[in-house]
Every structure is written in C-alpha cells, then in structure tokens.
Amino acid sequence: MNNFAFLRAENADDAVRAVNANTHAAFIAGGTNLIDIWKYNLRHPELLVDINHLPDCSAITKTVDGGMRLGALVTNADTAYHPLIESRYPLLSKAILAGASAQIRNMATDGGNLLQRTRCYYFYDANAPCNKRVPGSGCAAINGYNRIHAILGASEHCIAVFPSDMCVGLAALAAVVNVTGPNGERRIPFADFHRLPGDQPDLDNNLQHGELITSIDLPPKGFEQNYSYLKLRDRQSYAFALVSVATGLELDGDVIKDARIALGGVAHKPWRVAEAEESLKGKAATPENFAEAAAVILRGAKGYEHNSFKIELAKRAIIRNGMMAVEPESQRPGAKPSL
C-alpha cells in the first residue's frame, strides 16, 4: 500500500504552490497515465493535488485572434466531438479519436495528454535498465526488442518514442501551450514543448517542477478543407502508432499554398521539418512531390535491429496521407485516394 496525501485545489495559484513546495507532489486530473505508472511501481507521489475544480480550465472558447482555446481540463472526448473543433479543426478531432479507447478518452484531459510518458517496454519494466526511468542506468531497448522505437531524433541514451496522437495533430496545427507556475505565466510554442532525449532522456518536456498547463491555443488556420490523419499500427484499435502522420494543406486548385506534416511514433516528440513543408509550397499535390518532402523529413533516419522497416513505412505513410488530405472524402471507410 502506498500512503499519500490528497489536496483539492480551488484555484491555479494554490495548486502550483502546493506542488512547487514538494518535489514528490503531482497534479492529478483524469489520471489515466499517472495511475498506470503508479501501479507499475514506477512513481510514488507523496501528495496528489486535484486540479479538476480549477476555474477557467474546463471550457473550449474562441480567442481574440479568431482561433480556439482548449481548457486543460476538457476531456479528449469532449474536444474531439465539440462542433467547432469538428468543423474548424477536423485534423485534431481525427487525431484524438485515433488514440486510446472511448473509455480513456472520456477521462483523459487535454493537458494531461501532453504529459503522458512513453510506452517503451523497458521503461515499464522496473528490472530493466532505462535512462528515462533511472538516469545513468543504460538503455535496454537499443540492443533489445525495439520494434516500436524511434528512427529520428534518438540518442545513445534513449530511443523511446512519444505515444500521443492528439499531440501529432497539435504539432501540425502549430498550437501554443499556456502554463502557469511559481514564476508566473508563459506561452510555449508546441514545437518547443517536448524535448528530444539527448543526454537527459528522463525529461520529456520543458516544463519546470510546479508548472501547470492551463490551456492550449489553436491558431485561426485549421486546414479544415484539406486534411488527413493516418495511424498505422498492429491492430485497428487501442494500439499505439508504429507511424502516424497528420497532414494539413491549403490548396489553390491542385497547387499547394501551405503545408503542414507532423509524424508520430517515430521520435521522442512529434516530428516536423519546416524545410520539407516549405519545399511543397507552389508545387502540385502529387505523390512525387510528397515523396520528395518525405525524403527531407526522414533525412538522417536510423533504424535498429527490429524497427528499420519504419523508415520505408513512414515514407509511404507521408505520401499516402498527403493524397488523402487532397481528397478528404477518401477517408471514408472503404474509399481509396487516387494515387
């Protein structure tokens, strides 16, 4: 039995103050990942600070620039099925619905989704060396069974991948994360929120201890006309991505005016390469041009004994998803994009 204290916070300042005062304290909202890690005996909070009753964190609202703000405590399900998210940001809605199960989406919060830990087998095995769990202990995945692991952005210390689907959509949309903490409020561009492992793989993101996500801002542009989210996995539901791709296009006829491509399941964070997106501007939306962009995105990709197949899989997924974004109707069951 793990003994712990429980505090219900009535406002963000109280929540931040409580967690900041105890290095073994944690915020809890849906708890869908925290409880898993606790059950695996990987984390032992001394204090849980319940943030479910914080004001102004449980709604989806419009922002002054014409975008949308997702309260950190809004559930994944409520976000995915919100009429304005479905109509203005269908790429995000589809990404959310590709993740987890209906039951988990009903509990998991938008803020918590950004903070989930890797699903690396060795991270969850307390008897295996893992630099993410115990810094300096080694990475068992590098020479172990690494089928689900990274092909981009990895280091000699860690080849784990970030598991979220929602975050791949947020990366493609260039969302902004709003946080509050001991030193006040700040806004973090989504590309800067998560980290690559480097020599500190135990750090998944750039939050400081005691900082709390309060909301996530979506920009006005949602690519609602031409978008697609493709998730390739071992089974059709309740499985993490081997490779996923979020694509948003702005087209003028068949010419690309703007493009966003983000990958999941391949790195320690959602993977975007601005050079590849820029290279598509002014070009026709064709498989050949998406293949050229894929080559830029996958530049430097490195496979290991069991996951080298992911490099070719990612290339094909980028091409296929690009064409699906050109023809959103092709995403209906049984339909195929014209390649």
Side-chain angles (χ1 to χ4, degrees):
M1 178 66 68
N2 295 303
N3 294 319
F4 65 96
F6 183 86
L7 172 67
R8 171 174 160 172
E10 299 298 334
N11 58 68
D13 289 343
D14 288 348
V16 166
R17 194 176 300 113
V19 170
N20 188 55
N22 186 339
T23 57
H24 297 289
F27 300 115
I28 187 166
T32 54
N33 192 209
L34 174 60
I35 301 304
D36 276 348
I37 293 171
W38 206 345
K39 287 179 178 179
Y40 275 88
N41 206 33
L42 303 181
R43 188 173 180 184
H44 308 94
E46 295 176 355
L47 170 66
L48 289 185
V49 179
D50 179 7
I51 59 172
N52 282 295
H53 303 280
L54 301 189
D56 304 321
C57 292
S58 299
I60 296 177
T61 56
K62 295 181 180 179
T63 57
V64 293
D65 66 351
M68 300 292 294
R69 173 165 292 177
L70 311 177
L73 296 176
V74 179
T75 66
N76 290 177
D78 285 346
T79 302
Y81 291 119
H82 191 283
L84 288 177
I85 301 302
E86 286 187 305
S87 62
R88 294 187 54 191
Y89 304 94
L91 173 59
L92 178 60
S93 178
K94 285 187 173 293
I96 293 171
L97 294 175
S101 65
Q103 294 90 337
I104 291 175
R105 293 193 297 267
N106 284 338
M107 286 294 295
T109 62
D110 290 348
N113 192 290
L114 276 61
L115 302 176
Q116 59 184 297
R117 306 303 304 272
T118 183
R119 278 7 185 241
C120 171
Y121 327 115
Y122 301 103
F123 173 75
Y124 277 87
D125 182 356
N127 295 313
C130 173
N131 287 320
K132 181 174 286 295
R133 179 170 28 81
V134 182
S137 63
C139 176
I142 291 177
N143 295 313
Y145 186 60
N146 42 43
R147 186 170 184 271
I148 65 171
H149 289 75
I151 56 172
L152 291 163
S155 75
E156 62 180 339
H157 303 287
C158 180
I159 61 171
V161 298
F162 184 65
S164 170
D165 289 288
M166 178 180 182
C167 286
V168 183
L170 291 173
L173 292 169
V176 175
V177 184
N178 299 305
V179 307
T180 186
N183 298 316
E185 299 180 350
R186 62 183 179 126
R187 289 167 56 81
I188 307 173
F190 205 82
D192 299 328
F193 184 82
H194 296 101
R195 298 168 50 101
L196 293 179
D199 58 2
Q200 291 184 292
D202 53 309
L203 302 179
D204 292 338
N205 56 64
N206 287 307
L207 287 182
Q208 303 300 312
H209 180 72
E211 284 193 313
L212 172 69
I213 298 173
T214 55
S215 61
I216 304 159
D217 286 350
L218 305 179
K221 182 183 289 188
F223 298 96
E224 67 273 14
Q225 296 300 316
N226 295 99
Y227 65 90
S228 182
Y229 187 75
L230 176 64
K231 182 176 183 178
L232 303 177
R233 45 188 163 171
D234 286 324
R235 57 180 184 271
Q236 188 58 31
S237 65
Y238 201 42
F240 296 102
L242 293 169
V243 173
S244 61
V245 188
T247 304
L249 301 174
E250 182 182 355
L251 299 176
D252 182 3
D254 66 347
V255 175
I256 299 170
K257 293 178 62 180
D258 194 8
R260 303 282 177 80
I261 302 173
L263 270 63
V266 297
H268 201 256
K269 60 183 289 186
W271 193 261
R272 272 186 69 192
V273 178
E275 180 187 348
E277 296 171 354
E278 286 294 324
S279 73
L280 286 168
K281 292 182 180 180
K283 295 181 179 179
T286 64
E288 293 76 17
N289 287 330
F290 287 123
E292 290 180 3
V296 176
I297 293 170
L298 296 169
R299 187 184 295 154
K302 176 185 176 181
Y304 295 84
E305 181 179 358
H306 302 286
N307 76 343
S308 292
F309 72 94
K310 291 176 71 169
I311 299 174
E312 180 65 20
L313 183 66
K315 173 186 173 183
R316 297 186 183 205
I318 292 167
I319 298 169
R320 176 183 171 190
N321 204 50
M323 297 310 297
M324 290 172 69
V326 173
E327 304 176 76
E329 289 296 314
S330 67
Q331 299 178 56
R332 291 184 176 182
K336 296 181 180 180
S338 49
L339 297 176

